[in-house]
Amino acid sequence: MDLSNIPKPIWYALTAFLLLTIGYGAANHVPGLNSSDKESAENKASTVPNSSSVKVSVFDEATQAPVVGAKVIVESQGGSDTDTTDNLGAFRVQIPTTDYVKVRISKNYCEPYNQDLNLKSNPDRPKPIFLKCSVPQKKYMPSS
């Protein structure tokens, strides 16, 4: 696809739109960046008193590659938080302080993960979790 034929004013408008979209997304997803004082359901866990940050890194067991876009649910007695892993396989949640949490992770082509995680040892280090994932098999399509 040749993009060199797009007129410059349209190219500038598309670039500006992309940058504004990225900036708006960052402002709404980075806690404390926007000026809203309203408490939303998305960041409710981060405002819990006596809470701690839980850092999780999810990797493919066979390849050691980060698992991107995995759904992570972390639950404790005082609450839960849910999100997806980023491009480094990382995820951070804020939950009420506790020694153990239940972690559930799901991703297409990976076995579900459902374990308790000990937060007492090295509380500031990311907890590595390894999923058993398989590469989807491509269907053989005979050429005509």
Side-chain angles (χ1 to χ4, degrees), residues 6 44 46 58 67 100 121 138:
I6 297 175
K44 191 173 238 177
S46 64
V58 183
V67 177
Y100 293 92
S121 63
K138 293 182 181 177

Side-chain angles (χ1 to χ4, degrees), residues 17-86:
F17 177 75
L18 176 66
L19 292 174
L20 287 171
T21 303
I22 291 170
Y24 176 78
N28 282 326
H29 292 91
V30 176
L33 188 60
N34 59 9
S35 60
S36 173
D37 291 336
K38 293 185 287 186
E39 187 175 297
S40 69
E42 291 175 329
N43 65 10
K44 191 173 238 177
S46 64
T47 62
V48 175
N50 299 321
S51 65
S52 60
S53 177
V54 177
K55 295 171 252 175
V56 176
S57 296
V58 183
F59 302 98
D60 183 322
E61 186 176 78
T63 66
Q64 305 296 307
V67 177
V68 178
K71 180 179 179 184
V72 181
I73 301 171
V74 179
E75 299 173 325
S76 71
Q77 290 180 347
S80 68
D81 200 357
T82 303
D83 209 343
T84 56
T85 55
D86 63 15

Side-chain angles (χ1 to χ4, degrees), residues 87-131:
N87 61 343
L88 299 175
F91 177 72
R92 180 185 298 225
V93 295
Q94 198 76 21
I95 59 166
T97 302
T98 183
D99 292 337
Y100 293 92
V101 294
K102 177 157 299 283
V103 178
R104 292 184 287 167
I105 304 173
S106 60
K107 170 79 175 166
N108 288 344
Y109 307 110
C110 297
E111 289 184 17
Y113 181 91
N114 190 8
Q115 297 287 327
D116 287 335
L117 186 64
N118 180 351
L119 301 179
K120 289 191 279 189
S121 63
N122 295 327
D124 295 328
R125 299 192 81 199
K127 309 296 186 227
I129 295 177
F130 295 92
L131 297 183

